[in-house]
């Protein structure tokens, strides 16, 4: 396991940074940033034969690297570009690279099954502009007039792309209307909860890998992940490695939980500023340690739950939601004391004394057979609005990852992201691999189904 220890000093911004903030936040002096928008091949590939998945996952990671490199080239050119330059110097070479990689993906699948048709149509990419709300005129209802506006410093060393966040990515939580509704509990509901206490990543287990999406690929995420639970989680960890590893969980749970780090964008250089996943991929600023991490498994509002299989993998949210759209976006942002108001596409500005809250509600229905799927989505599903599972799926304990941070009102913060995703809040996502022992899972299911609160 290759964990990266990082640290750095914090500096809260004051009004003295106002002139620098105008440029960083997209005021009159700034241009709307452009980013690379490519079809997400991984979402399309839902039926890759298991024998071909390692090779296909490797090639999918190559597609991400190609987009990151093209975005860096686009961002480095800044505003000194025209359509012809973008087309001939960025998009056409990128499409050529992608066409070759897509052909290799099709060939790997063809070795064990029918060659997939139409992949070549996903080679071409476009340029997408970020819509930036004017700094002095927030949209009606989106920011309180008396809210402390996030302020920003001049670009930090290594922040070559200046990829966000923008002022328009934030909203005062006090101006958001309550929007949380839960299904009504039925007679057969499983009303209990089970908690694993796994710490706040005090041992600084960070890396830019994603063992679920890009196994065997170093820096497969192009952004830094925060880990709790299993101590051996990196790109190269096998199921056997995870089963034999130590854990930060007090109940012996070896499951792995991870999510993109949250950074204070304060102009300070973090120790990963020159490393993959950090500054090399446009992720800069002080990494914030959570104030709290709660890992809770809860029941179904309409039925009892069944045990999760060992090594079940679940991803919730979409790391590419800025370019993919919000169909799979699922992370929620809020503030303590205001959690009946959840945000999907904005970061919250919390009042003094209130902490920022990130919440990941995982899929609570399982197909009863598979621990993973080619696109890492179709083997699990979300319950319907009435709480029932789709046909062919059964209810399992629903994992909720709730993470809080102490952040001064008006501070600029953002999640790590793929470079071209511009650190948008909607790209936030959580990951989970179940490595509970069978006895611990049995206890969790019993607690949930009997209505007890355990852990």
């Amino acid at each position: 396991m290759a964990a990266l220890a990082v640290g750095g000093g914090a500096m809260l911004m004051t009004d003295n940074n106002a002139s620098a903030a105008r440029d960083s936040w997209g005021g009159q002096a700034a241009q709307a940033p452009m980013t690379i928008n490519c079809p997400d091949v991984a979402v399309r590939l839902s039926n890759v034969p298991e024998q071909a998945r390692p090779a296909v996952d490797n090639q999918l990671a190559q597609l991400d690297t190609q987009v990151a490199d093209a975005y860096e080239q686009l961002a480095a050119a800044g505003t000194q570009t025209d359509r012809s330059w973008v087309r001939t110097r960025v998009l056409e070479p990128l499409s050529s690279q992608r066409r070759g990689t897509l052909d290799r993906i099709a060939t790997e699948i063809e070795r064990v099954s029918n060659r997939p048709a139409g992949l070549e149509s996903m080679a071409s990419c476009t340029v997408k502009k970020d819509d930036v709300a004017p700094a002095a005129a927030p949209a009606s209802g989106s920011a309180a007039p008396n809210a402390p506006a996030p302020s920003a410093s001049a670009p930090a060393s290594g922040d070559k792309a200046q990829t966000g966040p923008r002022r328009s990515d934030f909203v005062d939580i006090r101006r958001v209307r309550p929007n949380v509704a839960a299904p009504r509990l039925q007679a057969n509901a499983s009303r209990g909860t089970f908690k694993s206490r796994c710490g706040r990543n005090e041992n600084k287990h960070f890396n830019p890998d994603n063992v679920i999406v890009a196994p065997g690929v170093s820096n497969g995420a192009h952004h830094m992940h925060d880990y709790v639970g299993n101590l051996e989680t990196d790109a190269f960890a096998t199921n056997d490695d995870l089963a034999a590893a130590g854990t930060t969980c007090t109940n012996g749970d070896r499951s792995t939980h991870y999510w993109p780090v949250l950074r204070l964008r304060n102009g300070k250089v973090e120790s990963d500023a020159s490393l993959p996943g950090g500054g090399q991929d446009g992720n800069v600023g002080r990494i914030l340690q959570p104030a709290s991490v709660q890992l809770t498994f809860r029941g179904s509002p309409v039925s009892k739950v069944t045990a999760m299989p060992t090594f079940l993998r679940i991803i919730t949210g979409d790391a590419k939601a800025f370019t993919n759209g919000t169909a799979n976006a699922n992370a929620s942002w809020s503030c303590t004391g205001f959690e009946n108001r959840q945000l999907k596409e904005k970061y919250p500005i919390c009042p003094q004394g209130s902490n920022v809250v990130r919440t990941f509600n995982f899929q609570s229905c399982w197909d009863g057979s598979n621990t993973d799927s080619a696109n890492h989505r179709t083997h699990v599903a979300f319950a319907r609005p009435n709480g029932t599972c789709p046909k062919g799926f059964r209810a399992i304990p629903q994992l909720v990852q709730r993470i809080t941070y102490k952040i001064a009102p008006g501070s600029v913060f953002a999640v790590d992201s793929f470079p071209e995703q511009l650190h948008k809040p909607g790209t936030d996502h959580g990951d989970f691999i179940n490595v509970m022992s069978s006895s611990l899972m049995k206890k969790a299911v019993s607690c949930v189904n009997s209505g007890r609160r355990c852990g």
Side-chain angles (χ1 to χ4, degrees):
M1 182 272 293
L4 171 66
V6 294
M11 181 177 70
L12 297 179
M13 297 297 103
T14 68
D15 291 341
N16 294 331
N17 304 109
S19 61
R22 281 196 293 272
D23 288 348
S24 179
W25 281 101
Q28 292 182 350
Q31 299 291 324
M34 294 186 294
T35 191
I36 303 291
N37 183 10
C38 299
D40 192 343
V41 179
V43 173
R44 166 82 172 270
L45 292 173
S46 59
N47 294 310
V48 178
E50 191 166 351
Q51 307 95 304
R53 286 184 191 173
V56 169
D57 284 341
N58 188 277
Q59 293 301 317
L60 291 172
Q62 291 301 314
L63 291 175
D64 288 336
T65 297
Q66 292 161 9
V67 173
D69 291 345
Y71 172 73
E72 182 177 344
Q73 184 182 12
L74 179 69
T79 59
Q80 308 304 312
T81 60
D82 56 28
R83 290 184 180 181
S84 177
W85 187 94
V86 172
R87 185 183 70 255
T88 59
R89 298 290 296 274
V90 179
L91 295 182
E92 289 178 357
L94 174 60
S95 295
S96 179
Q97 285 183 312
R98 285 172 59 84
R99 196 169 292 110
T101 304
L102 291 168
D103 181 68
R104 289 190 290 275
I105 289 174
T107 298
E108 291 295 344
I109 295 174
E110 190 178 27
R111 295 182 194 278
V112 293
S113 184
N114 295 327
R115 186 180 182 90
L119 283 185
E120 64 278 1
S121 67
M122 305 184 79
S124 296
C125 302
T126 59
V127 166
K128 173 184 173 74
K129 279 192 175 183
D130 183 15
D131 295 326
V132 180
S140 175
S142 65
N146 61 347
S151 54
S153 67
S157 172
D159 194 9
K160 49 194 172 185
Q162 276 299 283
T163 56
R166 315 293 288 181
R167 180 185 291 272
S168 56
D169 291 326
F170 287 79
V171 63
D172 190 303
I173 196 67
R174 292 168 293 185
R175 292 294 298 270
V176 178
R177 293 181 179 180
N179 56 12
V180 175
R184 181 177 298 177
L185 295 178
Q186 304 297 314
N188 200 37
S190 40
R191 303 165 186 257
T193 59
F194 178 86
K195 292 185 177 181
S196 282
R197 292 180 168 83
C198 302
R200 302 178 292 121
N201 197 12
E202 290 90 345
N203 58 321
K204 299 191 181 300
H205 181 177
F206 304 106
N207 62 53
D209 301 343
N210 193 325
V211 68
I212 296 177
V213 175
V217 178
S218 182
N219 194 33
H222 293 269
H223 52 264
M224 204 63 69
H225 279 131
D226 217 345
Y227 291 85
V228 299
N230 199 288
L231 290 169
E232 294 297 324
T233 313
D234 63 12
F236 307 97
T238 65
N239 285 347
D240 288 344
D241 293 332
L242 297 176
T247 180
T248 65
C249 302
T250 57
N251 59 3
D253 182 3
R254 291 184 172 86
S255 298
T256 183
H257 300 261
Y258 58 102
W259 45 81
V261 298
L262 194 67
R263 295 184 193 251
L264 190 65
R265 300 296 291 266
N266 59 359
K268 293 293 186 180
V269 177
E270 183 62 273
S271 61
D272 66 345
S274 62
L275 299 178
Q280 281 190 17
D281 288 301
N283 296 301
V284 298
R286 175 193 166 212
I287 292 177
L288 294 169
Q289 185 179 48
S292 67
V293 173
Q294 295 176 318
L295 307 172
T296 304
F297 295 87
R298 63 189 184 190
S300 162
V302 299
S303 72
K304 303 305 181 187
V305 299
T306 190
M308 293 179 177
T310 308
F311 305 123
L312 177 68
R313 285 152 161 78
I314 312 181
I315 297 172
T316 194
D318 184 1
K320 300 175 183 176
F322 179 58
T323 52
N324 281 349
T326 59
N328 289 317
N330 189 49
S332 293
W333 295 87
S334 191
C335 304
T336 55
F338 298 87
E339 289 179 72
N340 63 339
R341 314 171 193 200
Q342 295 290 325
L343 302 167
K344 297 291 188 181
E345 299 181 60
K346 299 284 184 182
Y347 294 118
I349 301 173
C350 300
Q352 189 71 40
S354 175
N355 288 350
V356 171
V357 184
R358 298 164 80 180
T359 304
F360 305 109
N361 293 297
F362 280 69
Q363 295 88 320
S364 59
C365 303
W366 169 54
D367 70 4
S369 177
N370 298 291
T371 57
D372 200 1
S373 49
N375 62 5
H376 314 293
R377 295 187 184 278
T378 52
H379 64 299
V380 288
F382 290 99
R384 300 184 181 103
N386 65 2
T388 62
C389 285
K391 184 178 180 180
F393 287 78
R394 63 186 68 175
I396 55 175
Q398 182 184 29
L399 171 62
V400 180
Q401 296 172 341
R402 180 182 177 273
I403 309 142
T404 70
Y405 301 84
K406 293 182 183 296
I407 300 175
S411 297
V412 182
F413 61 90
V415 293
D416 271 19
S417 73
F418 283 97
E420 77 282 358
Q421 299 301 311
L422 306 184
H423 305 280
K424 294 296 181 183
T427 67
D428 201 12
H429 53 283
D431 299 73
F432 167 69
I433 304 175
N434 173 44
V435 199
M436 284 190 189
S437 66
S438 57
S439 59
L440 188 61
M441 176 56 67
K442 183 178 180 179
K443 178 181 177 181
V445 169
S446 175
C447 288
V448 169
N449 284 340
S450 64
R452 290 176 290 145
R453 300 181 182 273
C454 307

